[in-house]
Amino acid sequence: RDLHLSIRRQRQMCIRDRVIRTGSSSLEIEIKAFAESKDHGQRLACTANITFVAVIRDDEGKLVKFNHNLNCE
């Protein structure tokens, strides 16, 4: 008899992401992780919204947003 049979359940994760918004110096994405099991089917396990911002250091060493849409001529 397997004493761990009730504890050992195979689970599968499915991760979906999508771009929510883009800006001149940022990108926001949404991530959703779904857990799937034989007993409970697929259900939302967690979500996260992440914003990435491009930054550079100015002449004084401070971090400032970097605008990707500027023409660098």
Side-chain angles (χ1 to χ4, degrees), residues 2 5 8-9 13-14 17-18 27 30 34-36 39-40 45 51-53 55 61-62 65 67 70-71 73:
D2 187 352
L5 187 60
R8 291 173 42 206
R9 294 187 179 138
M13 293 294 287
C14 172
D17 61 355
R18 70 182 179 108
L27 171 69
E30 175 185 67
F34 295 86
E36 191 170 326
D39 296 338
H40 303 288
T51 302
F52 297 94
V53 179
V55 295
K62 296 178 184 175
K65 287 184 184 179
N67 189 339
L70 291 178
N71 189 356
E73 290 182 14

Side-chain angles (χ1 to χ4, degrees), residues 11-66:
R11 294 191 176 135
Q12 183 176 350
M13 293 294 287
C14 172
I15 297 175
R16 297 185 184 144
D17 61 355
R18 70 182 179 108
V19 174
I20 297 174
R21 175 178 16 260
T22 59
S24 59
S25 63
S26 64
L27 171 69
E28 184 178 353
I29 61 170
E30 175 185 67
I31 300 170
K32 292 184 177 182
F34 295 86
E36 191 170 326
S37 68
K38 291 180 182 178
D39 296 338
H40 303 288
Q42 189 180 68
R43 65 192 185 285
L44 184 62
C46 65
T47 62
N49 284 6
I50 302 172
T51 302
F52 297 94
V53 179
V55 295
I56 58 173
R57 291 199 184 271
D58 66 7
D59 294 337
E60 297 173 3
K62 296 178 184 175
L63 293 175
V64 294
K65 287 184 184 179
F66 177 74

